[in-house]
């Protein structure tokens, strides 16, 4: 019953993950490949964390 009020941590991580991917796309469009690479790396780390939370 009280689980109804708990927030889902994966939702926040998913939103952050999507924002990082969008920032990476914009950096690539602007020609900044270093920023694109670092943002993509951060996004992949978030994706792995999301997968861990979904597994257990």
């Amino acid at each position: 019953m009280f689980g109804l009020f708990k927030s889902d941590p994966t939702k926040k991580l998913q939103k952050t993950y999507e924002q990082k991917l969008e920032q990476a796309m914009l950096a690539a469009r602007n020609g900044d490949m270093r920023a694109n690479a670092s943002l993509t790396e951060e996004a992949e780390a978030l994706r792995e964390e999301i997968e861990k939370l979904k597994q257990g």
Side-chain angles (χ1 to χ4, degrees):
M1 180 173 149
F2 294 108
L4 175 69
F5 299 111
K6 286 187 178 179
S7 63
D8 188 12
T10 58
K11 285 184 182 181
K12 184 176 181 181
L13 287 175
Q14 182 69 32
K15 187 174 182 179
T16 306
Y17 170 70
E18 290 171 4
Q19 288 174 344
K20 290 288 182 187
L21 286 179
E22 186 175 348
Q23 289 173 355
M25 178 196 60
L26 291 174
R29 281 187 181 171
N30 291 331
D32 192 356
M33 290 300 136
R34 270 195 193 146
N36 179 24
S38 66
L39 288 167
T40 303
E41 185 178 341
E42 291 174 20
E44 288 303 313
L46 286 171
R47 186 188 57 80
E48 290 174 6
E49 192 173 336
I50 290 168
E51 290 298 319
K52 286 181 185 177
L53 287 173
K54 286 183 179 179
Q55 292 293 327

